[in-house]
Amino acid sequence: MEVNVQKLENPAPKLLKRQQAEARYNMSWNTLLKAAGEAGALVRYGRSVFFNATIMDRYFDSLSGTD
C-alpha cells in the first residue's frame, strides 16, 4: 500500500494565547492588541483571541529594520 505524503511549503501558523503572546513579546494586553491589529495578526475564534506568531515576528522585524 502506497502512502501519498504531501510536503507543506508553508507550515500552519503558530497561534499564541494571550499569556503566551504577552510573555513572548513582553507587552501589555492593550499594546499587544494594537500591534497585532496593525500587523493583521489577530485571529478570533468565537470569544477567543489568538495571535499569529509568524505575522507578529515578521511585523516586528520590519519595524526594527532587520528584514
Side-chain angles (χ1 to χ4, degrees), residues 7-24:
K7 289 186 178 181
L8 297 175
E9 292 179 16
N10 294 326
K14 182 174 182 182
L15 299 178
L16 303 174
K17 293 181 181 178
R18 175 184 178 165
Q19 290 178 338
Q20 292 171 321
E22 286 176 344
R24 181 176 180 143

Side-chain angles (χ1 to χ4, degrees), residues 44-60:
R44 296 182 189 272
Y45 185 74
R47 293 178 57 190
S48 300
V49 176
F50 299 97
F51 300 89
N52 185 320
T54 307
I55 295 174
M56 292 288 288
D57 291 341
R58 194 176 324 127
Y59 175 72
F60 289 128

